[in-house]
Amino acid sequence: MFILVWGSRVRVIDLGSGDFHCPECDQSRTYSHRRVARYFTLFWIPLFPTANLGEYVECRTCGLQYTDEILSYTPPSPSERAARRARLDLDSGMPTHMVERKLIGEGLKREDAESIVAAALGDDARVCQDCGFIYRASVRSCSNCGGELEELETLP
């Protein structure tokens, strides 16, 4: 009796490694570049690849997998990160002076914090007539007193 056992199986092949900026870890980490391929097997021994199923980059620290394009990812600069945080805080309804204080508390100079907040605020702003707090135009009521906001003619 002659039994021929053949089939296929998937194998993961390491293509190389190096350093990259992992978005999840938010630091420079070591990665593994891997290829997934289907192999023809005879007696459960993989003999040759029959299909390339794809490639990916895996962070060796957190284990997350990314496409190859992640190797060209450039992380945001500290000022870009500060600007993003300022925009998010302003969008959430925080007044401008509190966003500035928060940025200063994180280590920015007062002038830098003021310019980041001014850029994040843009041209459209609203002001509370009771408190004088300045908000992004999308905010409708003062977080301090609950008063309605009016359009600000000129930025101070």
Side-chain angles (χ1 to χ4, degrees), residues 36-121:
V36 180
R38 180 174 295 126
Y39 275 73
F40 174 80
T41 60
L42 183 60
F43 292 106
W44 303 280
I45 300 170
L47 297 178
F48 56 87
T50 58
N52 182 4
L53 302 177
E55 294 182 11
Y56 65 93
V57 173
E58 181 178 71
C59 176
R60 287 188 180 171
T61 303
C62 69
L64 287 183
Q65 299 170 354
Y66 304 97
T67 60
D68 296 350
E69 289 82 27
I70 197 70
L71 297 177
S72 61
Y73 169 73
T74 303
S77 69
S79 61
E80 290 170 331
R81 289 175 194 262
R84 176 166 168 69
R85 287 193 307 273
R87 282 190 302 277
L88 291 173
D89 288 340
L90 289 169
D91 285 341
S92 73
M94 190 180 288
T96 56
H97 72 280
M98 291 179 72
V99 176
E100 288 174 7
R101 285 185 191 162
K102 186 176 175 184
L103 292 173
I104 292 168
E106 292 173 359
L108 268 72
K109 295 178 184 174
R110 179 174 302 280
E111 302 80 31
D112 294 339
E114 289 173 354
S115 66
I116 286 172
V117 170
L121 186 62

